[in-house]
Short mmCIF file of all heavy atoms in Angstrom, two decimals:
data_model
loop_
_atom_site.label_atom_id
_atom_site.label_comp_id
_atom_site.label_asym_id
_atom_site.label_seq_id
_atom_site.Cartn_x
_atom_site.Cartn_y
_atom_site.Cartn_z
N MET A 245 0.81 -1.20 0.04
CA MET A 245 0.02 -0.01 -0.04
C MET A 245 0.89 1.25 0.01
O MET A 245 0.44 2.25 -0.58
CB MET A 245 -0.90 0.03 1.20
CG MET A 245 -2.00 -0.99 1.17
SD MET A 245 -3.02 -0.65 -0.33
CE MET A 245 -4.08 -1.99 -0.32
N ALA A 246 2.02 1.19 0.64
CA ALA A 246 3.00 2.39 0.68
C ALA A 246 3.44 2.64 -0.72
O ALA A 246 3.44 3.88 -1.16
CB ALA A 246 4.14 2.13 1.53
N VAL A 247 3.82 1.77 -1.66
CA VAL A 247 4.25 1.98 -2.90
C VAL A 247 3.06 2.58 -3.72
O VAL A 247 3.23 3.49 -4.49
CB VAL A 247 4.76 0.76 -3.57
CG1 VAL A 247 5.07 0.87 -4.97
CG2 VAL A 247 6.02 0.28 -2.78
N GLY A 248 1.86 2.08 -3.55
CA GLY A 248 0.70 2.56 -4.27
C GLY A 248 0.33 3.92 -3.87
O GLY A 248 0.00 4.78 -4.72
N SER A 249 0.49 4.21 -2.61
CA SER A 249 0.30 5.63 -2.21
C SER A 249 1.26 6.65 -2.84
O SER A 249 0.96 7.65 -3.23
CB SER A 249 0.41 5.72 -0.56
OG SER A 249 -0.64 4.93 -0.11
N ILE A 250 2.52 6.24 -2.83
CA ILE A 250 3.56 7.10 -3.45
C ILE A 250 3.27 7.23 -4.97
O ILE A 250 3.30 8.33 -5.52
CB ILE A 250 4.93 6.60 -3.21
CG1 ILE A 250 5.23 6.72 -1.68
CG2 ILE A 250 6.02 7.28 -3.99
CD1 ILE A 250 6.49 5.98 -1.25
N LEU A 251 2.97 6.05 -5.54
CA LEU A 251 2.65 6.13 -7.12
C LEU A 251 1.38 6.96 -7.36
O LEU A 251 1.33 7.46 -8.49
CB LEU A 251 2.60 4.78 -7.62
CG LEU A 251 3.85 3.95 -7.64
CD1 LEU A 251 3.59 2.49 -8.15
CD2 LEU A 251 4.89 4.66 -8.57
N THR A 252 0.56 7.13 -6.48
CA THR A 252 -0.56 7.99 -6.60
C THR A 252 -0.31 9.48 -6.17
O THR A 252 -0.82 10.37 -6.92
CB THR A 252 -1.79 7.48 -5.71
OG1 THR A 252 -2.02 6.13 -6.00
CG2 THR A 252 -3.04 8.33 -5.80
N SER A 253 0.58 9.64 -5.24
CA SER A 253 0.83 11.08 -4.70
C SER A 253 1.58 11.81 -5.74
O SER A 253 1.40 13.05 -5.80
CB SER A 253 1.56 10.92 -3.44
OG SER A 253 0.73 10.31 -2.44
N VAL A 254 2.56 11.29 -6.41
CA VAL A 254 3.32 11.98 -7.35
C VAL A 254 2.50 12.55 -8.60
O VAL A 254 2.63 13.73 -8.83
CB VAL A 254 4.48 11.18 -7.85
CG1 VAL A 254 5.29 11.80 -9.08
CG2 VAL A 254 5.46 10.93 -6.79
N PRO A 255 1.65 11.74 -9.13
CA PRO A 255 0.73 12.28 -10.22
C PRO A 255 -0.14 13.33 -9.61
O PRO A 255 -0.54 14.37 -10.37
CB PRO A 255 0.04 11.08 -10.79
CG PRO A 255 0.82 9.95 -10.52
CD PRO A 255 1.55 10.26 -9.20
N PHE A 256 -0.57 13.16 -8.37
CA PHE A 256 -1.54 14.15 -7.79
C PHE A 256 -0.81 15.46 -7.67
O PHE A 256 -1.35 16.50 -8.04
CB PHE A 256 -2.01 13.72 -6.38
CG PHE A 256 -2.75 14.67 -5.62
CD1 PHE A 256 -4.07 14.78 -5.77
CD2 PHE A 256 -2.16 15.53 -4.61
CE1 PHE A 256 -4.84 15.61 -5.03
CE2 PHE A 256 -2.90 16.40 -4.00
CZ PHE A 256 -4.20 16.50 -4.12
N ALA A 257 0.48 15.51 -7.25
CA ALA A 257 1.19 16.69 -7.15
C ALA A 257 1.51 17.28 -8.53
O ALA A 257 1.44 18.44 -8.67
CB ALA A 257 2.44 16.40 -6.32
N LEU A 258 1.91 16.48 -9.50
CA LEU A 258 2.07 16.89 -10.81
C LEU A 258 0.89 17.53 -11.54
O LEU A 258 0.94 18.56 -12.26
CB LEU A 258 2.59 15.74 -11.67
CG LEU A 258 4.01 15.32 -11.50
CD1 LEU A 258 4.27 14.06 -12.19
CD2 LEU A 258 5.05 16.41 -11.78
N MET A 259 -0.33 17.07 -11.03
CA MET A 259 -1.49 17.57 -11.62
C MET A 259 -1.74 19.02 -11.17
O MET A 259 -2.35 19.83 -11.89
CB MET A 259 -2.75 16.72 -11.04
CG MET A 259 -4.03 16.94 -11.78
SD MET A 259 -5.31 15.71 -11.28
CE MET A 259 -5.38 15.97 -9.56
N HIS A 260 -1.23 19.41 -10.01
CA HIS A 260 -1.32 20.70 -9.53
C HIS A 260 -0.01 21.59 -9.82
O HIS A 260 0.10 22.78 -9.38
CB HIS A 260 -1.42 20.68 -7.96
CG HIS A 260 -2.74 20.12 -7.46
ND1 HIS A 260 -2.93 18.80 -7.46
CD2 HIS A 260 -3.88 20.61 -7.18
CE1 HIS A 260 -4.20 18.53 -6.99
NE2 HIS A 260 -4.84 19.73 -7.00
N ALA A 261 0.86 21.11 -10.62
CA ALA A 261 2.13 21.86 -10.79
C ALA A 261 1.99 23.21 -11.53
O ALA A 261 2.64 24.14 -11.24
CB ALA A 261 3.05 20.87 -11.74
N GLU A 262 1.00 23.27 -12.47
CA GLU A 262 0.72 24.51 -13.12
C GLU A 262 0.34 25.61 -12.16
O GLU A 262 0.78 26.75 -12.32
CB GLU A 262 -0.34 24.24 -14.18
CG GLU A 262 -0.61 25.52 -15.06
CD GLU A 262 0.53 25.78 -16.02
OE1 GLU A 262 1.25 24.74 -16.46
OE2 GLU A 262 0.76 26.89 -16.35
N GLN A 263 -0.47 25.25 -11.16
CA GLN A 263 -1.03 26.21 -10.15
C GLN A 263 0.07 26.68 -9.34
O GLN A 263 -0.01 27.76 -8.61
CB GLN A 263 -2.09 25.54 -9.28
CG GLN A 263 -3.24 25.06 -10.04
CD GLN A 263 -4.23 24.23 -9.17
OE1 GLN A 263 -3.80 23.71 -8.19
NE2 GLN A 263 -5.42 24.11 -9.63
N THR A 264 1.12 25.89 -9.07
CA THR A 264 2.17 26.15 -8.15
C THR A 264 3.44 26.68 -8.84
O THR A 264 4.54 26.90 -8.19
CB THR A 264 2.48 25.01 -7.22
OG1 THR A 264 3.11 23.96 -8.03
CG2 THR A 264 1.40 24.62 -6.43
N GLY A 265 3.37 26.92 -10.12
CA GLY A 265 4.45 27.56 -11.00
C GLY A 265 5.60 26.48 -11.09
O GLY A 265 6.81 26.96 -11.18
N HIS A 266 5.27 25.25 -10.91
CA HIS A 266 6.39 24.15 -11.13
C HIS A 266 7.42 24.26 -10.16
O HIS A 266 8.62 23.90 -10.42
CB HIS A 266 6.84 24.18 -12.59
CG HIS A 266 5.86 23.99 -13.65
ND1 HIS A 266 5.31 22.79 -13.84
CD2 HIS A 266 5.17 24.85 -14.34
CE1 HIS A 266 4.29 22.85 -14.81
NE2 HIS A 266 4.26 24.08 -15.15
N ALA A 267 7.22 24.84 -8.95
CA ALA A 267 8.21 24.97 -7.88
C ALA A 267 8.38 23.69 -7.13
O ALA A 267 7.30 22.94 -6.88
CB ALA A 267 7.83 26.17 -6.93
N LEU A 268 9.56 23.39 -6.65
CA LEU A 268 9.89 22.25 -6.00
C LEU A 268 9.18 22.00 -4.60
O LEU A 268 8.63 21.05 -4.29
CB LEU A 268 11.37 21.95 -5.87
CG LEU A 268 11.76 20.67 -5.08
CD1 LEU A 268 11.22 19.46 -5.92
CD2 LEU A 268 13.26 20.72 -5.01
N GLY A 269 9.17 23.24 -3.83
CA GLY A 269 8.72 23.20 -2.47
C GLY A 269 7.21 22.86 -2.42
O GLY A 269 6.74 21.99 -1.69
N PRO A 270 6.35 23.53 -3.25
CA PRO A 270 4.89 23.25 -3.27
C PRO A 270 4.64 21.77 -3.78
O PRO A 270 3.75 21.07 -3.35
CB PRO A 270 4.31 24.22 -4.12
CG PRO A 270 5.25 25.47 -4.08
CD PRO A 270 6.60 24.88 -3.90
N PHE A 271 5.50 21.27 -4.73
CA PHE A 271 5.32 19.98 -5.30
C PHE A 271 5.60 19.00 -4.10
O PHE A 271 4.78 18.05 -4.03
CB PHE A 271 6.38 19.74 -6.38
CG PHE A 271 6.42 18.25 -6.83
CD1 PHE A 271 5.43 17.76 -7.65
CD2 PHE A 271 7.43 17.46 -6.34
CE1 PHE A 271 5.46 16.44 -8.08
CE2 PHE A 271 7.43 16.10 -6.75
CZ PHE A 271 6.44 15.60 -7.63
N LEU A 272 6.61 19.11 -3.32
CA LEU A 272 6.88 18.19 -2.27
C LEU A 272 5.78 18.26 -1.18
O LEU A 272 5.44 17.29 -0.58
CB LEU A 272 8.28 18.44 -1.59
CG LEU A 272 9.40 18.23 -2.61
CD1 LEU A 272 10.73 18.65 -1.80
CD2 LEU A 272 9.39 16.76 -2.94
N MET A 273 5.32 19.52 -0.96
CA MET A 273 4.22 19.61 0.14
C MET A 273 2.95 18.92 -0.42
O MET A 273 2.24 18.23 0.38
CB MET A 273 3.86 21.18 0.28
CG MET A 273 2.84 21.35 1.32
SD MET A 273 2.07 23.00 1.39
CE MET A 273 1.40 23.15 -0.21
N LEU A 274 2.72 19.06 -1.70
CA LEU A 274 1.43 18.44 -2.29
C LEU A 274 1.65 16.81 -2.29
O LEU A 274 0.68 16.16 -2.08
CB LEU A 274 1.21 18.86 -3.72
CG LEU A 274 0.55 20.15 -3.73
CD1 LEU A 274 0.46 20.74 -5.13
CD2 LEU A 274 -0.90 20.17 -3.17
N VAL A 275 2.91 16.41 -2.48
CA VAL A 275 3.09 14.96 -2.33
C VAL A 275 2.83 14.52 -0.87
O VAL A 275 2.06 13.51 -0.61
CB VAL A 275 4.51 14.55 -2.65
CG1 VAL A 275 4.86 13.13 -2.33
CG2 VAL A 275 4.81 14.72 -4.19
N CYS A 276 3.18 15.28 0.08
CA CYS A 276 2.90 14.99 1.48
C CYS A 276 1.39 15.01 1.77
O CYS A 276 0.87 14.10 2.55
CB CYS A 276 3.72 15.92 2.44
SG CYS A 276 5.40 15.66 2.41
N VAL A 277 0.67 16.04 1.26
CA VAL A 277 -0.69 16.15 1.48
C VAL A 277 -1.38 14.91 0.86
O VAL A 277 -2.26 14.39 1.47
CB VAL A 277 -1.22 17.46 0.78
CG1 VAL A 277 -2.71 17.47 0.68
CG2 VAL A 277 -0.73 18.66 1.52
N SER A 278 -1.02 14.50 -0.34
CA SER A 278 -1.59 13.40 -0.93
C SER A 278 -1.35 12.10 -0.12
O SER A 278 -2.22 11.25 -0.07
CB SER A 278 -0.95 13.25 -2.36
OG SER A 278 -1.65 12.03 -3.00
N LEU A 279 -0.20 11.89 0.45
CA LEU A 279 0.06 10.86 1.36
C LEU A 279 -0.77 10.84 2.59
O LEU A 279 -1.34 9.80 2.92
CB LEU A 279 1.57 10.84 1.70
CG LEU A 279 2.63 10.46 0.60
CD1 LEU A 279 4.02 10.65 1.08
CD2 LEU A 279 2.38 9.04 0.06
N VAL A 280 -1.17 12.03 3.08
CA VAL A 280 -2.13 12.08 4.14
C VAL A 280 -3.45 11.61 3.70
O VAL A 280 -4.17 10.94 4.43
CB VAL A 280 -2.06 13.50 4.78
CG1 VAL A 280 -3.21 13.63 5.72
CG2 VAL A 280 -0.77 13.82 5.47
N LEU A 281 -3.87 12.09 2.51
CA LEU A 281 -5.15 11.68 1.95
C LEU A 281 -5.20 10.16 1.75
O LEU A 281 -6.21 9.59 2.07
CB LEU A 281 -5.42 12.46 0.61
CG LEU A 281 -5.55 13.93 0.68
CD1 LEU A 281 -5.64 14.62 -0.67
CD2 LEU A 281 -6.81 14.36 1.54
N CYS A 282 -4.13 9.59 1.29
CA CYS A 282 -4.04 8.11 1.11
C CYS A 282 -4.14 7.45 2.49
O CYS A 282 -4.83 6.46 2.60
CB CYS A 282 -2.75 7.76 0.40
SG CYS A 282 -2.69 8.13 -1.36
N TRP A 283 -3.46 8.02 3.50
CA TRP A 283 -3.53 7.34 4.76
C TRP A 283 -4.94 7.40 5.38
O TRP A 283 -5.41 6.46 5.90
CB TRP A 283 -2.47 8.12 5.75
CG TRP A 283 -2.60 7.73 7.11
CD1 TRP A 283 -2.19 6.57 7.67
CD2 TRP A 283 -3.39 8.38 8.07
NE1 TRP A 283 -2.61 6.50 8.99
CE2 TRP A 283 -3.33 7.62 9.34
CE3 TRP A 283 -4.20 9.51 8.13
CZ2 TRP A 283 -3.94 7.96 10.47
CZ3 TRP A 283 -4.81 9.97 9.34
CH2 TRP A 283 -4.68 9.09 10.45
N ALA A 284 -5.54 8.62 5.16
CA ALA A 284 -6.95 8.68 5.62
C ALA A 284 -7.90 7.73 4.98
O ALA A 284 -8.72 7.03 5.61
CB ALA A 284 -7.52 10.19 5.40
N ARG A 285 -7.67 7.58 3.65
CA ARG A 285 -8.51 6.59 2.94
C ARG A 285 -8.24 5.19 3.41
O ARG A 285 -9.14 4.38 3.60
CB ARG A 285 -8.23 6.78 1.38
CG ARG A 285 -8.72 5.52 0.63
CD ARG A 285 -10.23 5.44 0.50
NE ARG A 285 -10.69 4.49 -0.40
CZ ARG A 285 -11.06 3.28 0.02
NH1 ARG A 285 -10.95 2.94 1.25
NH2 ARG A 285 -11.51 2.35 -0.85
N LEU A 286 -6.94 4.77 3.46
CA LEU A 286 -6.60 3.40 3.91
C LEU A 286 -6.85 3.08 5.39
O LEU A 286 -7.32 1.96 5.65
CB LEU A 286 -5.13 3.15 3.59
CG LEU A 286 -4.71 3.21 2.08
CD1 LEU A 286 -3.20 3.21 1.97
CD2 LEU A 286 -5.40 2.01 1.35
N SER A 287 -6.64 4.05 6.30
CA SER A 287 -6.83 3.76 7.65
C SER A 287 -8.37 3.69 8.09
O SER A 287 -8.71 2.98 8.94
CB SER A 287 -6.21 4.78 8.52
OG SER A 287 -6.73 6.09 8.38
N THR A 288 -9.26 4.36 7.27
CA THR A 288 -10.70 4.46 7.63
C THR A 288 -11.42 3.54 6.76
O THR A 288 -12.60 3.32 6.98
CB THR A 288 -11.25 5.80 7.57
OG1 THR A 288 -11.09 6.35 6.26
CG2 THR A 288 -10.52 6.78 8.57
N ARG A 289 -10.85 3.12 5.65
CA ARG A 289 -11.59 2.27 4.60
C ARG A 289 -12.74 3.00 4.08
O ARG A 289 -13.87 2.50 3.72
CB ARG A 289 -11.93 0.99 5.08
CG ARG A 289 -10.74 0.13 5.49
CD ARG A 289 -11.25 -1.23 6.01
NE ARG A 289 -9.94 -2.00 6.31
CZ ARG A 289 -9.87 -3.33 6.06
NH1 ARG A 289 -10.97 -3.96 5.62
NH2 ARG A 289 -8.71 -3.92 6.37
N SER A 290 -12.65 4.41 4.03
CA SER A 290 -13.74 5.28 3.64
C SER A 290 -13.15 6.31 2.68
O SER A 290 -12.32 7.07 3.09
CB SER A 290 -14.53 5.84 4.76
OG SER A 290 -15.33 6.84 4.34
N LEU A 291 -13.73 6.43 1.52
CA LEU A 291 -13.48 7.52 0.57
C LEU A 291 -13.92 8.91 1.15
O LEU A 291 -13.23 9.85 0.99
CB LEU A 291 -14.02 7.36 -0.69
CG LEU A 291 -13.64 8.35 -1.81
CD1 LEU A 291 -12.09 8.40 -2.11
CD2 LEU A 291 -14.37 8.03 -3.05
N ALA A 292 -15.00 8.93 1.93
CA ALA A 292 -15.49 10.11 2.49
C ALA A 292 -14.42 10.72 3.48
O ALA A 292 -14.36 11.99 3.52
CB ALA A 292 -16.68 9.84 3.42
N ALA A 293 -13.66 9.87 4.10
CA ALA A 293 -12.66 10.53 5.07
C ALA A 293 -11.56 11.33 4.30
O ALA A 293 -11.22 12.49 4.66
CB ALA A 293 -11.99 9.49 5.87
N SER A 294 -11.07 10.84 3.20
CA SER A 294 -10.07 11.57 2.39
C SER A 294 -10.67 12.79 1.76
O SER A 294 -10.11 13.80 1.52
CB SER A 294 -9.37 10.67 1.45
OG SER A 294 -10.24 10.10 0.57
N VAL A 295 -11.99 12.62 1.29
CA VAL A 295 -12.69 13.79 0.68
C VAL A 295 -12.83 14.84 1.76
O VAL A 295 -12.60 16.07 1.35
CB VAL A 295 -13.99 13.34 0.11
CG1 VAL A 295 -14.85 14.56 -0.29
CG2 VAL A 295 -13.76 12.45 -1.13
N LEU A 296 -13.17 14.52 2.94
CA LEU A 296 -13.30 15.50 4.02
C LEU A 296 -12.00 16.18 4.36
O LEU A 296 -11.95 17.39 4.44
CB LEU A 296 -13.88 14.89 5.23
CG LEU A 296 -14.12 15.76 6.48
CD1 LEU A 296 -15.22 16.78 6.01
CD2 LEU A 296 -14.72 14.96 7.63
N VAL A 297 -10.94 15.42 4.40
CA VAL A 297 -9.59 16.03 4.72
C VAL A 297 -9.12 16.94 3.47
O VAL A 297 -8.67 17.97 3.75
CB VAL A 297 -8.55 14.90 4.87
CG1 VAL A 297 -7.17 15.40 4.83
CG2 VAL A 297 -8.78 14.12 6.15
N HIS A 298 -9.46 16.49 2.29
CA HIS A 298 -9.13 17.33 1.11
C HIS A 298 -9.91 18.58 1.18
O HIS A 298 -9.28 19.66 0.86
CB HIS A 298 -9.40 16.54 -0.19
CG HIS A 298 -8.94 17.22 -1.38
ND1 HIS A 298 -9.50 18.29 -2.01
CD2 HIS A 298 -7.85 16.93 -2.17
CE1 HIS A 298 -8.87 18.65 -3.17
NE2 HIS A 298 -7.79 17.81 -3.18
N ALA A 299 -11.27 18.57 1.43
CA ALA A 299 -12.05 19.77 1.54
C ALA A 299 -11.47 20.70 2.69
O ALA A 299 -11.47 21.96 2.47
CB ALA A 299 -13.56 19.31 1.67
N SER A 300 -11.19 20.11 3.76
CA SER A 300 -10.68 20.98 4.90
C SER A 300 -9.37 21.64 4.56
O SER A 300 -9.10 22.74 4.90
CB SER A 300 -10.45 19.97 6.14
OG SER A 300 -11.78 19.43 6.53
N TYR A 301 -8.48 20.86 3.88
CA TYR A 301 -7.17 21.47 3.48
C TYR A 301 -7.47 22.60 2.51
O TYR A 301 -6.91 23.72 2.65
CB TYR A 301 -6.37 20.38 2.77
CG TYR A 301 -5.10 20.85 2.24
CD1 TYR A 301 -3.96 21.22 3.08
CD2 TYR A 301 -4.90 21.01 0.86
CE1 TYR A 301 -2.83 21.71 2.43
CE2 TYR A 301 -3.84 21.50 0.28
CZ TYR A 301 -2.78 21.86 1.09
OH TYR A 301 -1.55 22.37 0.55
N ASN A 302 -8.37 22.45 1.44
CA ASN A 302 -8.63 23.52 0.62
C ASN A 302 -9.21 24.69 1.28
O ASN A 302 -8.94 25.81 0.91
CB ASN A 302 -9.58 23.01 -0.60
CG ASN A 302 -8.82 22.10 -1.55
OD1 ASN A 302 -7.52 22.07 -1.53
ND2 ASN A 302 -9.50 21.50 -2.40
N PHE A 303 -10.21 24.43 2.22
CA PHE A 303 -10.78 25.53 2.92
C PHE A 303 -9.78 26.30 3.76
O PHE A 303 -9.82 27.46 3.83
CB PHE A 303 -11.89 25.05 3.92
CG PHE A 303 -12.53 26.10 4.74
CD1 PHE A 303 -13.39 26.96 4.14
CD2 PHE A 303 -12.12 26.22 6.07
CE1 PHE A 303 -13.92 28.00 4.90
CE2 PHE A 303 -12.67 27.36 6.79
CZ PHE A 303 -13.56 28.14 6.21
N MET A 304 -8.81 25.57 4.36
CA MET A 304 -7.84 26.31 5.20
C MET A 304 -6.95 27.12 4.28
O MET A 304 -6.63 28.33 4.55
CB MET A 304 -6.88 25.23 5.76
CG MET A 304 -5.71 25.77 6.64
SD MET A 304 -4.61 24.57 7.19
CE MET A 304 -3.84 24.15 5.64
N LEU A 305 -6.61 26.73 3.06
CA LEU A 305 -5.72 27.52 2.09
C LEU A 305 -6.59 28.76 1.70
O LEU A 305 -6.05 29.77 1.60
CB LEU A 305 -5.41 26.70 0.81
CG LEU A 305 -4.31 25.60 1.15
CD1 LEU A 305 -4.06 24.84 -0.19
CD2 LEU A 305 -3.11 26.16 1.69
N PHE A 306 -7.85 28.52 1.37
CA PHE A 306 -8.70 29.62 1.01
C PHE A 306 -8.81 30.65 2.15
O PHE A 306 -8.69 31.90 1.86
CB PHE A 306 -10.16 29.13 0.64
CG PHE A 306 -11.13 30.15 0.41
CD1 PHE A 306 -11.20 30.81 -0.88
CD2 PHE A 306 -12.01 30.60 1.36
CE1 PHE A 306 -12.08 31.81 -1.16
CE2 PHE A 306 -12.92 31.52 1.10
CZ PHE A 306 -13.00 32.20 -0.12
N ALA A 307 -9.02 30.17 3.39
CA ALA A 307 -9.14 31.08 4.49
C ALA A 307 -7.85 31.89 4.74
O ALA A 307 -7.93 33.12 5.05
CB ALA A 307 -9.53 30.35 5.81
N PHE A 308 -6.68 31.19 4.66
CA PHE A 308 -5.46 32.01 4.76
C PHE A 308 -5.22 32.98 3.73
O PHE A 308 -4.78 34.17 3.97
CB PHE A 308 -4.30 30.96 4.86
CG PHE A 308 -4.18 30.22 6.15
CD1 PHE A 308 -3.56 28.91 6.22
CD2 PHE A 308 -4.65 30.75 7.41
CE1 PHE A 308 -3.43 28.23 7.33
CE2 PHE A 308 -4.58 30.01 8.63
CZ PHE A 308 -3.92 28.81 8.54
N MET A 309 -5.58 32.70 2.53
CA MET A 309 -5.48 33.59 1.49
C MET A 309 -6.48 34.71 1.53
O MET A 309 -6.11 35.95 1.42
CB MET A 309 -5.76 32.81 0.18
CG MET A 309 -5.40 33.71 -1.13
SD MET A 309 -5.89 32.95 -2.68
CE MET A 309 -4.40 31.93 -2.92
N LEU A 310 -7.58 34.42 2.07
CA LEU A 310 -8.63 35.50 2.31
C LEU A 310 -8.11 36.59 3.36
O LEU A 310 -8.14 37.68 3.28
CB LEU A 310 -9.92 34.92 2.83
CG LEU A 310 -11.07 35.93 3.02
CD1 LEU A 310 -11.64 36.51 1.74
CD2 LEU A 310 -12.24 35.24 3.65
N LEU A 311 -7.60 35.98 4.48
CA LEU A 311 -7.08 36.75 5.55
C LEU A 311 -5.86 37.51 5.04
O LEU A 311 -5.62 38.63 5.42
CB LEU A 311 -6.83 35.91 6.79
CG LEU A 311 -8.13 35.41 7.42
CD1 LEU A 311 -7.70 34.43 8.55
CD2 LEU A 311 -8.95 36.49 8.01
N GLY A 312 -4.93 36.80 4.38
CA GLY A 312 -3.63 37.36 4.10
C GLY A 312 -3.74 38.52 2.94
O GLY A 312 -2.78 39.25 2.85
N THR A 313 -4.79 38.61 2.23
CA THR A 313 -4.92 39.56 1.23
C THR A 313 -5.98 40.56 1.55
O THR A 313 -6.42 41.36 0.65
CB THR A 313 -5.33 38.89 -0.13
OG1 THR A 313 -6.60 38.29 0.04
CG2 THR A 313 -4.23 37.91 -0.58
N GLY A 314 -6.51 40.61 2.76
CA GLY A 314 -7.49 41.62 3.21
C GLY A 314 -8.74 41.39 2.50
O GLY A 314 -9.23 42.46 1.91
N GLY A 315 -9.21 40.22 2.25
CA GLY A 315 -10.49 39.95 1.53
C GLY A 315 -10.31 39.93 0.10
O GLY A 315 -11.07 40.41 -0.70
N PHE A 316 -9.06 39.46 -0.37
CA PHE A 316 -8.69 39.32 -1.72
C PHE A 316 -8.44 40.75 -2.42
O PHE A 316 -8.50 40.78 -3.70
CB PHE A 316 -9.64 38.53 -2.62
CG PHE A 316 -9.77 37.13 -2.21
CD1 PHE A 316 -10.91 36.58 -1.65
CD2 PHE A 316 -8.65 36.27 -2.27
CE1 PHE A 316 -11.05 35.24 -1.21
CE2 PHE A 316 -8.78 34.89 -1.90
CZ PHE A 316 -9.91 34.48 -1.33
N ARG A 317 -8.32 41.74 -1.65
CA ARG A 317 -7.97 43.05 -2.20
C ARG A 317 -6.57 43.25 -2.51
O ARG A 317 -6.25 44.07 -3.32
CB ARG A 317 -8.50 44.15 -1.20
CG ARG A 317 -9.98 44.21 -1.08
CD ARG A 317 -10.36 45.31 -0.17
NE ARG A 317 -9.90 44.84 1.22
CZ ARG A 317 -10.29 45.25 2.37
NH1 ARG A 317 -10.97 46.39 2.36
NH2 ARG A 317 -9.86 44.79 3.50
N HIS A 318 -5.60 42.55 -1.90
CA HIS A 318 -4.24 42.75 -2.14
C HIS A 318 -3.65 41.39 -2.52
O HIS A 318 -2.73 40.93 -1.98
CB HIS A 318 -3.61 43.20 -0.82
CG HIS A 318 -4.26 44.35 -0.30
ND1 HIS A 318 -4.17 45.62 -0.87
CD2 HIS A 318 -5.01 44.56 0.78
CE1 HIS A 318 -4.83 46.53 -0.15
NE2 HIS A 318 -5.39 45.87 0.91
N LEU A 319 -4.02 40.88 -3.69
CA LEU A 319 -3.54 39.64 -4.23
C LEU A 319 -2.08 39.76 -4.63
O LEU A 319 -1.38 38.75 -4.67
CB LEU A 319 -4.33 39.08 -5.34
CG LEU A 319 -5.75 38.49 -5.03
CD1 LEU A 319 -6.50 38.10 -6.20
CD2 LEU A 319 -5.60 37.24 -4.20
N ASP A 320 -1.71 40.91 -4.98
CA ASP A 320 -0.25 41.09 -5.34
C ASP A 320 0.78 40.79 -4.17
O ASP A 320 1.94 40.55 -4.37
CB ASP A 320 -0.08 42.51 -5.82
CG ASP A 320 -0.37 43.55 -4.71
OD1 ASP A 320 -1.37 43.31 -4.00
OD2 ASP A 320 0.31 44.64 -4.71
N LYS A 321 0.21 40.77 -2.95
CA LYS A 321 1.05 40.31 -1.85
C LYS A 321 1.27 38.77 -1.71
O LYS A 321 2.11 38.36 -0.93
CB LYS A 321 0.43 40.88 -0.43
CG LYS A 321 0.47 42.27 -0.44
CD LYS A 321 -0.06 42.74 0.86
CE LYS A 321 -0.13 44.24 1.01
NZ LYS A 321 -0.64 44.76 2.27
N MET A 322 0.65 38.01 -2.49
CA MET A 322 0.67 36.60 -2.51
C MET A 322 1.95 36.13 -3.26
O MET A 322 2.40 36.58 -4.09
CB MET A 322 -0.53 35.90 -3.03
CG MET A 322 -1.81 36.17 -2.25
SD MET A 322 -1.67 35.61 -0.56
CE MET A 322 -1.65 33.85 -0.63
#
């Protein structure tokens, strides 16, 4: 299962490469995020768990971006 998780996580991160400007740091972070999603799926035997973790992660990023830009008014600071 570990090999399968890694083989799934790398394409997941590559799928988001355009959004992160093909930078190595975000790529590695997304590999780790994907491994957490795989772990949630495998440990709970429920796809809903990994979907909930993914949605929570996306919401956290959105909230930090909203706060960091003063309500998306200062996107140039990102």
Side-chain angles (χ1 to χ4, degrees):
M245 289 299 172
V247 173
S249 294
I250 292 169
L251 291 176
T252 301
S253 297
V254 171
F256 175 83
L258 286 172
M259 193 171 59
H260 292 83
E262 188 70 31
Q263 297 169 345
T264 61
H266 301 280
L268 181 61
F271 173 79
L272 295 175
M273 182 192 66
L274 285 169
V275 169
C276 292
V277 167
S278 181
L279 288 171
V280 169
L281 295 172
C282 289
W283 172 81
R285 166 66 176 98
L286 292 170
S287 65
T288 62
R289 297 181 180 215
S290 169
L291 183 60
S294 61
V295 169
L296 184 60
V297 171
H298 190 281
S300 299
Y301 174 76
N302 286 348
F303 176 76
M304 180 189 68
L305 290 178
F306 175 81
F308 285 152
M309 190 186 274
L310 180 69
L311 293 172
T313 61
F316 296 116
R317 287 180 292 191
H318 307 289
L319 285 175
D320 55 329
K321 292 183 180 179
M322 296 301 293

